């Protein structure tokens, strides 16, 4: 029964390895890979303050999805991954004034911080866009002209609340009063708590109300458009309510830091319209070739900007005669001691300190393993140490150590698998059979793991993919513990066959773990795979066939020399980090 299951899995794995289809476009004529294209984006980040771990989390989720796709479809030409900075608008204009800088000075400074952070964190973006670039101004103005030509804009009086921090208009029902610094009640946004001010001016207005039904249709016909599913439902619920037209410009005398409305310098384009168009700018809009990437787009965004991406953006695209993005992946937020991170509360967690303390791979693993898209997650240092020590240092690192230790594997090779010791048919008996029933459960779990991981990536549940890997690591440690290879000896011919088989199975598991961890912990995975002697060409998901000898195929790794020992895979943190002791004392 178990074997049947494992065999079925293998045949599935061979036909369709652990890959899922991300939003994809056919390559344009002359497309160089022949593969469908996929385009991943992060939100572009406001430059009013330095990056924090929430921003890094958004970028890491996109990075992991994109790296996973590259493992399925190798070659750089068919996958694109954009990030960048959102540099216009009232928020930036005001932040620059407060800092005593010109807006562009502030933008240059903070944009560089984001770029440096992302470089250090291994964000493998192919494009970094700044909305102050000339190419972007051109794209936004062109997009505006298309909207205008299609009759989507009109001039009208806008009167209502505006929240500069959130850069959004709010109806009366979304505004409340809070006691301000002077003791007087101040109007604030009900959702974010940020101050709002009353605005009355003549603006250009976008006919958003026309798109309620088209948006409903789009979402009903594309149940995977917004993932995870509860966010899809949220948007459908929003669309049950009235959808008022949207003001898409501000008076330039009030907002000068932005892109002027073409042909009307007295108005500046609304920063969200400006920002959203970045996704088109990156792929060359308005040049015709942008269509080879659009709408094969996966937008990764935080839940706070869902309305902009799932209502305004698709409506604007439809208004401009373009298709909505293929997928929108939504995540929740990191809090600190249950509170929102904010400069005023002084609880902002600096991502660069975290990368230094926990290493790049360690911190990437932590955020992606603990971050649950559907709910907010609370951050604290002890949680990071506990997780990394137990899963990366002890479980995974310990497993590698045990199997490669000189006294257990003195030849330093990838040992052979003996089918007489570990027959494909459970329940067989014979003088050489040493396998136990639980070992078949391990084989079965390992054979399904790549597909399971791919499905979790597709559902934007990367933490579950890592949980599944971690559970298999535990099972593999159990396998080693059960068979205690340190009690076997190479000198005895019967022991030697079984000892080789036990190590072979463990190496095969480690090879699968290393391959599957590449999107999350690229350096650690590289170290692991290099130690096992797995070459760069053997690290894709298409080539990932677990334990081929068990299924009657040849195994290219048998007898191969292991790679050099370059030290512990992931050193434990709790003994080596003096700052933690200090943190406990204070
Ligand atoms: N500039 C807009 C996005 C425009 S995209 C066309 C913006 N910028 S932001 O800097 O405020 O946020 C960028 C991303 O960081 C968003 O996805 C947001 O959800 C995310 N995060 C901000 N704080 C966060 C946490 N505390 N936790 C997790 N992610 C959070 O919005």
């Amino acid at each position: 029964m178990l074997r049947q299951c494992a065999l079925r899995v293998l045949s599935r794995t061979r036909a369709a390895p652990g890959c899922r289809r991300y939003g994809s476009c056919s390559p344009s004529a002359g497309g160089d890979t022949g593969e469908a294209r996929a385009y991943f984006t992060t939100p572009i980040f406001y430059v009013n303050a330095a990056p924090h771990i929430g921003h890094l989390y958004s970028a890491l989720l996109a990075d992991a999805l994109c790296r996973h796709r590259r493992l399925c479809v190798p070659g750089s030409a068919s996958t694109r991954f954009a990030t960048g900075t959102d540099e216009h608008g009232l928020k930036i204009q005001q932040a620059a004034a407060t800092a005593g800088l010109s807006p562009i000075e502030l933008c240059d400074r903070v944009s560089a911080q984001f770029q440096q952070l992302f470089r250090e964190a291994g964000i493998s973006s192919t494009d970094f866009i700044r909305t102050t670039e000339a190419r972007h101004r051109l794209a936004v103005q062109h997009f505006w002209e298309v909207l205008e030509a299609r009759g989507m804009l009109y001039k009208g009086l806008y009167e209502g609340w505006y929240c500069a921090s959130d850069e959004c208009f709010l109806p009366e029902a979304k505004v409340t009063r809070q006691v301000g610094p002077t003791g007087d009640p101040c109007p604030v946004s009900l959702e974010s708590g940020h101050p709002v001010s009353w605005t009355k001016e003549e603006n250009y207005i976008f006919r958003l109300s026309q798109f309620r039904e088209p948006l409903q249709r789009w979402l009903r016909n594309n149940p995977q458009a917004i993932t995870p599913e509860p966010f899809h439902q949220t948007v459908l619920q929003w669309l049950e309510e009235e959808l008022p037209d949207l003001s898409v410009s501000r008076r330039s005398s009030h907002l000068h830091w932005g892109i002027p409305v073409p042909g009307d310098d007295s108005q500046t384009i609304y920063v969200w319209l400006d920002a959203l168009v970045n996704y088109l700018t990156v792929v060359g809009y308005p040049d015709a070739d942008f269509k080879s990437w659009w709408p094969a787009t996966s937008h990764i965004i935080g839940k706070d900007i869902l309305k902009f991406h799932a209502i305004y953006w698709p409506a604007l695209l439809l208004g401009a005669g373009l298709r909505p993005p293929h997928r929108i992946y939504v995540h929740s937020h990191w809090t600190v001691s249950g509170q929102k991170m904010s400069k005023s509360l002084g609880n902002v967690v600096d991502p660069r300190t975290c990368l230094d303390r926990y290493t790049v791979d360690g911190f990437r693993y932590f955020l992606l393993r603990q971050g649950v898209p559907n709910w907010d997650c609370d951050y604290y240092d002890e949680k990071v140490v506990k997780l990394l020590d137990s899963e990366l240092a002890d479980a995974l690192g310990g497993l590698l150590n045990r199997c490669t230790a000189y006294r257990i594997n003195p030849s330093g090779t990838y040992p052979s698998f003996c089918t007489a010791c570990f027959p494909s048919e459970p329940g067989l008996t014979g003088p050489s059979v040493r396998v136990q029933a639980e070992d078949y459960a391990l084989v079965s779990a390992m054979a399904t793991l790549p597909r399971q991981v791919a499905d979790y990536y597709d559902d934007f549940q990367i933490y579950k993919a890592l949980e599944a890997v971690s559970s298999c690591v535990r099972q593999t440690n159990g396998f080693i513990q059960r068979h205690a290879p340190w009690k076997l000896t190479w000198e005895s011919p019967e022991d030697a066959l079984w000892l080789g088989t036990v190590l072979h199975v463990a190496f095969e598991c480690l090879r699968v773990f290393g391959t599957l961890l590449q999107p999350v912990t690229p350096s650690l995975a590289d170290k692991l795979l290099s130690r096992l002697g797995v070459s760069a060409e053997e690290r894709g998901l298409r080539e990932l066939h677990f334990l081929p000898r068990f299924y009657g195929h040849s195994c290219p790794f048998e007898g191969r020399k292991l790679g050099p020992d370059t030290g512990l895979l992931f050193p434990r943190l709790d003994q080596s980090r003096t700052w933690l002791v200090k943190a406990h004392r204070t």
Side-chain angles (χ1 to χ4, degrees):
M1 167 67 190
L2 273 168
R3 176 171 178 258
Q4 268 176 1
C5 169
L7 284 176
R8 218 177 315 125
V9 165
L10 182 82
S11 54
R12 263 209 296 160
T13 312
R14 283 192 175 272
C19 304
R20 300 292 263 158
R21 280 174 67 82
Y22 295 96
S24 53
C25 261
S26 300
S28 57
D32 34 7
T33 62
E35 290 287 356
R37 293 179 171 186
Y39 171 37
F40 296 85
T41 70
T42 73
I44 49 170
F45 300 89
Y46 284 132
V47 289
N48 61 309
H52 61 58
I53 58 165
H55 301 132
L56 179 60
Y57 180 56
S58 264
L60 277 178
L61 285 165
D63 187 55
L65 282 186
C66 184
R67 284 178 185 263
H68 186 263
R69 143 92 191 184
R70 289 192 193 115
L71 288 181
C72 301
V73 184
S76 55
S78 71
T79 306
R80 217 154 161 174
F81 171 21
T83 186
T85 40
D86 189 354
E87 306 189 1
H88 288 136
L90 206 53
K91 186 182 172 100
I92 310 304
Q93 189 178 300
Q94 289 171 350
T98 309
L101 297 170
S102 70
I104 195 65
E105 280 170 337
L106 178 72
C107 294
D108 287 348
R109 183 181 291 182
V110 182
S111 181
Q113 290 176 5
F114 273 99
Q115 291 179 55
Q116 188 176 351
L117 170 68
F118 290 169
R119 240 190 335 268
E120 286 174 7
I123 303 298
S124 61
S125 49
T126 55
D127 298 82
F128 192 96
I129 169 115
R130 298 183 56 186
T131 53
T132 44
E133 289 175 62
R135 61 171 173 154
H136 180 64
R137 184 189 177 106
L138 202 109
V140 172
Q141 291 191 326
H142 184 86
F143 190 83
W144 180 279
E145 283 164 353
V146 172
L147 288 178
E148 196 159 46
R150 293 170 61 94
M152 294 293 150
L153 304 176
Y154 63 94
K155 230 170 168 184
L157 188 72
Y158 178 79
E159 188 169 4
W161 296 103
Y162 192 77
C163 176
S165 292
D166 304 336
E167 293 284 18
C168 70
F169 302 96
L170 293 168
E172 187 63 48
K174 294 275 169 70
V175 173
T176 184
R177 304 288 185 285
Q178 245 176 30
V179 181
T182 56
D184 297 328
C186 292
V188 296
S189 156
L190 203 58
E191 265 167 33
S192 68
H194 293 137
V196 298
S197 56
W198 188 256
T199 311
K200 182 176 177 184
E201 50 180 63
E202 189 165 58
N203 294 150
Y204 288 92
I205 316 265
F206 171 63
R207 298 187 191 280
L208 182 63
S209 56
Q210 286 189 2
F211 292 93
R212 203 170 125 204
E213 278 170 24
L215 290 176
Q216 285 173 330
R217 259 198 311 281
W218 164 60
L219 290 176
R220 296 219 164 97
N221 294 339
N222 297 279
Q224 282 210 308
I226 303 173
T227 307
E229 220 270 330
F231 293 110
H232 192 92
Q233 292 309 327
T234 303
V235 178
L236 276 171
Q237 216 151 356
W238 286 339
L239 289 170
E240 291 294 311
E241 290 162 25
E242 198 200 344
L243 193 60
D245 284 351
L246 178 70
S247 164
V248 285
S249 71
R250 305 298 308 272
R251 243 188 11 241
S252 312
S253 54
H254 182 61
L255 171 69
H256 58 81
W257 186 240
I259 300 177
V261 165
D264 183 356
D265 279 358
S266 72
Q267 294 276 320
T268 303
I269 295 177
Y270 175 38
V271 64
W272 266 102
L273 192 158
D274 169 341
L276 288 162
V277 172
N278 96 82
Y279 300 132
L280 292 175
T281 308
V282 166
V283 289
Y285 180 85
D287 289 351
D289 191 45
F290 87 93
K291 288 208 167 145
S292 64
W293 293 97
W294 197 268
T297 309
S298 297
H299 292 315
I300 288 82
I301 59 159
K303 62 179 184 180
D304 54 322
I305 53 176
L306 180 58
K307 183 179 62 189
F308 302 95
H309 284 80
I311 294 186
Y312 296 176
W313 181 223
L316 286 164
L317 286 163
L318 290 170
L322 297 171
R323 283 161 61 194
H326 185 77
R327 299 197 68 169
I328 300 174
Y329 293 101
V330 190
H331 66 79
S332 298
H333 283 183
W334 283 92
T335 55
V336 177
S337 310
Q339 282 185 306
K340 206 172 157 173
M341 254 185 288
S342 85
K343 241 188 350 190
S344 51
L345 287 173
N347 64 353
V348 172
V349 183
D350 172 17
R352 291 182 65 197
T353 309
C354 296
L355 294 171
D356 280 351
R357 280 180 179 176
Y358 307 119
T359 74
V360 170
D361 285 279
F363 199 55
R364 286 176 64 106
Y365 186 82
F366 170 77
L367 286 181
L368 293 172
R369 170 80 170 90
Q370 289 286 311
V372 177
N374 304 46
W375 302 284
D376 286 353
C377 298
D378 207 33
Y379 177 87
Y380 51 96
D381 289 315
E382 288 81 354
K383 192 147 108 184
V384 190
V385 175
K386 216 166 145 192
L387 179 87
L388 299 185
D389 278 353
S390 93
E391 295 196 355
L392 294 187
D394 297 347
L396 186 63
L399 179 64
L400 178 68
N401 241 3
R402 281 163 128 187
C403 304
T404 50
Y406 178 78
R407 61 180 192 290
I408 232 171
N409 188 354
S411 64
T413 53
Y414 210 105
S416 298
F417 181 84
C418 169
T419 45
C421 299
F422 200 138
S424 303
E425 199 66 59
L428 280 188
T429 50
S432 327
V433 175
R434 308 279 275 265
V435 67
Q436 297 178 15
E438 295 99 309
D439 302 338
Y440 289 99
L442 171 67
V443 170
S444 173
M446 286 301 302
T448 44
L449 187 63
R451 164 62 57 194
Q452 218 185 348
V453 163
D455 287 343
Y456 283 137
Y457 268 81
D458 196 50
D459 280 349
F460 202 43
Q461 304 290 332
I462 298 176
Y463 78 101
K464 281 196 183 163
L466 293 173
E467 200 171 87
V469 170
S470 175
S471 153
C472 282
V473 172
R474 269 198 307 279
Q475 262 181 282
T476 314
N477 271 314
F479 168 81
I480 290 289
Q481 201 62 35
R482 207 158 43 244
H483 297 297
W486 49 89
K487 290 190 183 154
L488 303 169
T489 156
W490 290 104
E491 274 70 56
S492 141
E494 302 88 63
D495 267 11
L497 287 176
W498 178 233
L499 175 52
T501 303
V502 170
L503 293 183
H504 181 98
V505 171
F507 280 13
E508 279 293 285
C509 295
L510 281 162
R511 184 170 67 82
V512 171
F513 302 144
T515 306
L516 294 177
L517 284 173
Q518 291 175 100
V520 174
T521 54
S523 305
L524 179 141
D526 173 47
K527 192 167 176 176
L528 172 53
L529 293 169
S530 300
R531 180 72 175 116
L532 297 175
V534 179
S535 71
E537 298 72 43
E538 295 166 325
R539 296 178 181 189
L541 287 173
R542 285 177 170 173
E543 299 73 45
L544 185 59
H545 302 302
F546 171 67
L547 205 58
R549 293 272 281 111
F550 178 81
Y551 301 99
H553 302 285
S554 63
C555 172
F557 301 100
E558 271 186 344
R560 196 185 281 188
K561 202 85 197 135
L562 294 184
D565 179 1
T566 51
L568 288 180
L569 188 66
F570 190 87
R572 282 182 68 85
L573 294 161
D574 64 357
Q575 296 139 359
S576 57
R577 295 291 184 264
T578 45
W579 55 263
L580 191 67
V581 179
K582 275 190 224 135
H584 276 307
R585 274 200 219 112
T586 50

